[in-house]
Amino acid sequence: MLYKKLGKPILFRMDPEKAHHLTIDGLSAVVSFPGGKQLLKSMYGVPNSPLLAQQLWGIQFANPIGLAAGLDKNAKAVKGFSQLGFGFMEVGTITPKPQPGNELPRLFRLPEDKALINRMGFNNVGTEVMAKNLMKTGKRDIPVAINIGKNKTTPNEQAEEDYRACIRELYTYGDFFVVNISSPNTPDLRNLQHGSDLKRLLDAVTTEMQLQQKKNGHSGKPVLVKIAPDLTDEELELTVQTIKIHSGISGIIATNTTLSRQGLVHPNREQAGGLSGKPLTQRTTEVIRRVYQLTEGKLPIIGSGGIFTAQDAYDKIRAGASLVEVYTGFIYEGPGMLASLNKGLQDLLRRDGYTHISEAIGADHH
């Protein structure tokens, strides 16, 4: 209630990117005070439920709701976000070298559509500073995934070098890694989702992961690939086929933002960039369903796109997602949404006679 009555009206009067920075800086400041972590936890924390807890890739997730990449691009507020009731979070997208991203303004709200359009262009501090930020975070309360990309100036032919550099610099800090080849805001990036480019990139990424694993005496960390919602069925099939035969890839995130503007009413629909939020709800669920079919349910899926209610999340889980992520919904609904998603999911699972979330994953296919 506090967010909806007080926080949101103030933030939504501000420029979206300024509001974004204020939120990140605010969260990071609160937890630096003695008792700040406890305060956030007491206000927003979500009680753990055995119904929702699961282990994937050897990692323990207290609940299936994560924070998607793009909100905490530089891993500045991991401690703060960890107290709000998330089951995990993604930081990034990070690139080897710092980059300013695209020109301002580059983030737009579409309140009537419950959507956002962004053309940030991977603005970030680079791997070196992110490593410092994650080191400062210390022991973490939830699993953290690092979303990696390529610098804008790096040609696609050399893209794999950027992904390898990110893994090299950040391997010890991530619980798992996400290869972002689907942002619409870096020129030609989406071409890496196809054919020999994708195969070459995945080969490079898994080779680097194995090198780091040996070097760090670690049993290995999962790598997921994040795909676009705009792939045609044929493209999706080919992309998933390439990912599937690649033994080094542990899962798929479906999906990134869309270039589609179908059904939008807000004037900001004219803005270039990736659209996120409510308009994606149905499309991402369809992509999840298809990916689950193509992988025969053998490759865990994280569903991301247009989750505002527990039903939205549950639909994605039944379509085949093991975990889900929020971003735009979180901006519109505020941190209180995590408690209602968790409670709502438990109610829906019980209603359908399930004793654990794992029984509902992909239930629509059975």
Side-chain angles (χ1 to χ4, degrees), residues 97-154:
K97 298 199 261 305
Q99 56 182 25
N102 296 323
E103 280 172 31
L104 301 164
R106 53 193 179 180
L107 181 60
F108 307 90
R109 298 186 193 100
L110 295 76
E112 289 89 325
D113 301 303
K114 283 198 166 169
L116 296 171
I117 288 175
N118 94 77
R119 49 168 182 266
M120 307 298 278
F122 289 175
N123 54 310
N124 73 94
V125 293
T127 50
E128 204 180 315
V129 177
M130 181 185 268
K132 286 183 187 141
N133 290 346
L134 285 166
M135 209 179 337
K136 269 193 282 201
T137 302
K139 192 184 168 305
R140 301 200 292 246
D141 299 321
I142 59 173
V144 173
I146 299 176
N147 186 301
I148 58 177
K150 78 170 187 76
N151 280 108
K152 190 177 179 174
T153 51
T154 306

Side-chain angles (χ1 to χ4, degrees), residues 198-235:
L198 178 60
K199 192 184 172 308
R200 200 177 68 232
L201 178 65
L202 298 185
D203 283 344
V205 163
T206 47
T207 305
E208 192 58 54
M209 289 299 286
Q210 283 154 2
L211 278 173
Q212 293 308 319
Q213 180 185 330
K214 282 200 189 83
K215 197 175 139 188
N216 292 281
H218 194 274
S219 59
K221 294 182 179 188
V223 180
L224 285 78
V225 177
K226 186 167 189 174
I227 61 172
D230 305 329
L231 295 169
T232 64
D233 200 49
E234 198 181 0
E235 289 170 336

Side-chain angles (χ1 to χ4, degrees), residues 22-23 27 31 45 53 91 101 107 111 134 149 155 160 181 189 205 214 233 236 242 279 289 294 297 326 352-353 356:
L22 185 71
T23 307
L27 265 180
V31 290
V91 296
L107 181 60
L134 285 166
E160 64 262 33
I181 46 173
L189 183 76
V205 163
K214 282 200 189 83
D233 200 49
L236 183 62
T242 309
R289 184 167 285 121
L294 292 166
V326 296
D352 291 348
H356 188 255

Side-chain angles (χ1 to χ4, degrees), residues 291-300:
V291 171
Y292 188 87
Q293 282 168 347
L294 292 166
T295 56
E296 291 149 10
K298 291 186 184 128
L299 208 55

Side-chain angles (χ1 to χ4, degrees), residues 189-306:
L189 183 76
R190 286 187 166 196
N191 297 341
L192 294 172
Q193 296 181 105
H194 310 297
S196 56
D197 276 355
L198 178 60
K199 192 184 172 308
R200 200 177 68 232
L201 178 65
L202 298 185
D203 283 344
V205 163
T206 47
T207 305
E208 192 58 54
M209 289 299 286
Q210 283 154 2
L211 278 173
Q212 293 308 319
Q213 180 185 330
K214 282 200 189 83
K215 197 175 139 188
N216 292 281
H218 194 274
S219 59
K221 294 182 179 188
V223 180
L224 285 78
V225 177
K226 186 167 189 174
I227 61 172
D230 305 329
L231 295 169
T232 64
D233 200 49
E234 198 181 0
E235 289 170 336
L236 183 62
E237 216 163 300
L238 291 169
T239 299
V240 172
Q241 236 27 61
T242 309
I243 293 169
K244 199 167 86 170
I245 54 178
H246 215 290
S247 60
I249 301 300
S250 317
I252 291 175
I253 298 192
T255 65
N256 214 315
T257 56
T258 182
L259 290 170
S260 161
R261 296 292 184 264
Q262 214 179 331
L264 299 180
V265 297
H266 194 278
N268 277 343
R269 66 177 184 269
E270 303 300 332
Q271 296 293 344
L275 172 80
S276 61
K278 203 73 185 157
L280 247 93
T281 310
Q282 210 178 336
R283 175 62 188 154
T284 47
T285 306
E286 282 164 17
V287 175
I288 292 162
R289 184 167 285 121
R290 191 72 189 110
V291 171
Y292 188 87
Q293 282 168 347
L294 292 166
T295 56
E296 291 149 10
K298 291 186 184 128
L299 208 55
I301 300 163
I302 299 181
S304 177

Side-chain angles (χ1 to χ4, degrees), residues 298-332:
K298 291 186 184 128
L299 208 55
I301 300 163
I302 299 181
S304 177
I307 295 174
F308 282 75
T309 64
Q311 187 65 53
D312 296 337
Y314 191 52
D315 289 344
K316 285 177 172 34
I317 290 164
R318 289 191 61 111
S322 299
L323 302 167
V324 294
E325 289 178 339
V326 296
Y327 179 105
T328 306
F330 181 73
I331 289 169
Y332 278 92

